[in-house]
């Protein structure tokens, strides 16, 4: 499966899991793809059949895709913006990155969000307690060289085509509301912040949240697939046993690469939990994959 990569990156992006999630979807599925925690959107953009509702509480992600939908942002606009801003970055260096970061924290311009996401350290998204983007510069003043701009513009183009040929609604709201929008023919894909792990302003996740998610997903008439972590070399996610063990669970080893050094590559076993049988259950691949981002 060729996975389409969106223009926004994040440390929790599920690019490498898209083929596994695709394998779980029933062949005849024609309902609405419902995604309460869309993040970069990579899963839904690749797997939507016709209709999707894609939500997140991070308003910057939602606004970015809404402005592509309304055509306030087009591939050409992105190209012109990155050529100009990339030139300023080249001339002024890191001072310019921080100027754009301050401007974004005041005005929340979606193009500045793209700039910071692609020129910030390791393509990370993180907001401080005041809700301000606080990722430092990647320290490459020539970040927006022509080939890199073309790559980003092509990514915007690919996602715009999906947004304009499918029926997708983007909503900034809490997961509870999104799950309640799902009907019996729909499929909910949940990728919440991993409990006990990375947190920031838009990514706090407590036991109470996990418990509420469990109640909502246990009661839904829809099909659901949940991504969570199962274990790593140090510990188990005991919430898998506490909440999810009565559902079908597939596991897969995955490498997260956070930071520049090889020894920061941490193997982690991911779990896909679901409440329905899939016709590919016997052929499900339990393999190792390397996710570098
Ligand atoms: C692990 S990320 C999702 C990554 C996504 N699957 C991808 O591949 O890019 C979790 C997302 O949940 C969002 N989020 C956190 N708390 C939420 C809540 N209470 N309701 C809805 N979204 C929430 C965060 O903003 C973040 O984008």
């Amino acid at each position: 499966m060729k996975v389409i990569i969106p223009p926004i990156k994040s440390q929790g992006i599920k690019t490498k899991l898209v083929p596994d999630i695709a394998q779980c979807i029933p062949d005849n599925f024609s309902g609405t793809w419902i995604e309460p925690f869309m993040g970069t959107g990579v899963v839904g953009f690749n797997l939507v059949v016709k209709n999707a509702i894609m939500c997140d509480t991070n308003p910057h992600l939602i606004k970015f895709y809404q402005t592509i939908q309304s055509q306030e942002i087009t591939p050409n606009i992105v190209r012109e913006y990155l050529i100009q801003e990339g030139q300023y970055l080249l001339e002024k260096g890191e001072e310019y990155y921080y100027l754009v970061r301050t401007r974004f924290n005041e005005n929340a311009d979606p193009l500045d969000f793209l700039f910071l996401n692609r020129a910030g350290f390791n393509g990370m998204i993180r907001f401080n307690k005041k809700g301000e983007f606080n990722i430092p510069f990647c320290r490459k003043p020539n970040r927006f060289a022509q080939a890199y701009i073309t790559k980003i513009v092509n990514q915007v183009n690919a996602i715009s085509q999906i947004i304009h040929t499918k029926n997708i609604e983007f909503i900034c709201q809490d997961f509870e509301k999104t799950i309640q929008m799902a009907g019996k023919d729909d499929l909910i894909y949940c990728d919440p912040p991993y409990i006990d792990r990375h947190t920031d302003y838009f990514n706090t996740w407590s036991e109470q949240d996990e418990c509420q998610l469990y109640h909502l997903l246990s009661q839904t008439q829809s099909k659901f697939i949940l991504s969570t972590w199962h274990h790593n070399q140090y510990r188990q996610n005991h919430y898998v046993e506490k909440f999810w063990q009565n559902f079908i669970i597939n596991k897969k080893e995955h490498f997260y690469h956070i930071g520049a050094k090889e020894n920061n590559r941490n193997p982690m076993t991911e779990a896909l939990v679901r409440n329905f049988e899939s016709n590919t259950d016997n052929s499900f691949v339990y393999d190792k994959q390397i996710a570098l981002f």
Side-chain angles (χ1 to χ4, degrees):
M1 172 181 189
K2 188 177 175 329
V3 177
I4 294 165
I5 313 286
I8 300 290
K9 306 272 157 216
S10 91
Q11 54 275 35
I13 193 166
K14 290 296 186 296
T15 314
K16 300 287 179 185
L17 289 181
V18 171
D20 300 281
I21 299 165
Q23 269 200 326
C24 298
I25 301 175
D27 287 341
N28 57 354
F29 174 67
S30 61
T32 300
W33 179 267
I34 309 242
E35 202 165 332
F37 309 88
M38 72 169 279
T40 64
V42 69
V43 182
F45 289 134
N46 279 281
L47 301 182
V48 54
V49 179
K50 195 167 161 218
N51 302 311
I53 299 176
M54 295 179 62
C55 308
D56 202 287
T57 45
N58 182 330
H60 306 294
L61 295 164
I62 298 297
K63 188 168 165 190
F64 183 80
Y65 290 118
Q66 282 174 336
T67 47
I68 291 186
Q69 192 162 46
S70 64
Q71 303 199 346
E72 283 163 77
I73 290 184
T74 63
N76 275 339
I77 289 172
V78 169
R79 185 190 306 281
E80 280 169 27
Y81 167 88
L82 290 179
I83 290 173
Q84 184 185 312
E85 297 299 305
Q87 186 58 32
Y88 292 147
L89 185 67
L90 186 62
E91 287 164 15
K92 298 181 185 159
E94 89 171 32
E95 178 196 334
Y96 195 71
Y97 174 86
Y98 290 106
L99 183 148
V100 175
R101 201 173 79 168
T102 305
R103 183 171 80 190
F104 169 75
N105 285 327
E106 285 164 2
N107 306 328
D109 185 315
L111 286 170
D112 286 344
F113 183 52
L114 178 66
F115 173 99
L116 294 170
N117 182 245
R118 302 304 292 251
F121 179 73
N122 244 2
M124 290 176 71
I125 297 182
R126 187 185 62 209
F127 292 83
N128 66 18
K129 286 195 181 114
K130 292 191 217 152
E132 295 165 338
F133 187 85
N134 69 352
I135 294 291
F137 183 40
C138 71
R139 302 219 159 160
K140 294 178 192 142
N142 64 347
R143 185 64 171 150
F144 295 106
Q146 198 182 346
Y148 195 56
I149 293 182
T150 302
K151 183 176 179 182
I152 298 171
V153 170
N154 289 343
Q155 290 168 342
V156 172
N157 191 36
I159 294 303
S160 306
Q161 285 186 20
I162 296 169
I163 292 177
H164 292 119
T165 50
K166 314 279 178 175
N167 178 20
I168 307 183
E169 195 176 353
F170 297 98
I171 312 174
C172 184
Q173 66 184 13
D174 196 75
F175 69 94
E176 297 190 35
K177 284 194 179 157
T178 311
I179 292 174
Q180 282 157 0
M181 291 170 84
K184 69 176 178 31
D185 298 328
D186 302 335
L187 200 160
I188 306 169
Y189 169 65
C190 282
D191 183 17
Y194 284 3
I195 190 156
D196 290 345
R197 299 188 65 82
H198 164 85
T199 57
D200 81 347
Y201 187 79
F202 295 111
N203 274 292
T204 53
W205 194 253
S206 63
E207 174 156 356
Q208 207 184 337
D209 292 317
E210 189 89 1
C211 188
Q212 178 63 355
L213 181 64
Y214 166 72
H215 284 301
L216 290 166
L217 292 181
S218 302
Q219 287 157 15
T220 184
Q221 298 174 10
S222 317
K223 293 184 171 55
F224 79 77
I225 303 173
L226 165 77
S227 279
T228 190
W229 67 284
H230 192 274
H231 65 270
N232 64 16
Q233 62 206 98
Y234 308 110
R235 52 200 181 116
Q236 298 274 335
N237 177 1
H238 67 270
Y239 293 104
V240 171
E241 203 181 317
K242 182 165 179 182
F243 293 123
W244 307 110
Q245 65 169 346
N246 292 331
F247 298 100
I248 299 168
I249 303 182
N250 294 119
K251 287 181 267 172
K252 174 168 186 140
E253 194 167 332
H254 192 79
F255 283 85
Y256 280 93
H257 186 258
I258 299 176
K261 294 189 189 134
E262 189 71 10
N263 59 9
N264 287 342
R265 255 181 55 189
N266 297 314
M268 143 92 88
T269 298
E270 302 270 349
L272 285 180
V273 179
R274 64 195 144 91
N275 65 347
F276 62 97
E277 298 207 346
S278 143
N279 40 13
T280 54
D281 271 349
N282 292 334
S283 61
F284 203 91
V285 195
Y286 295 85
D287 63 348
K288 294 186 179 188
Q289 288 226 342
I290 298 183
L292 298 178
F293 42 83

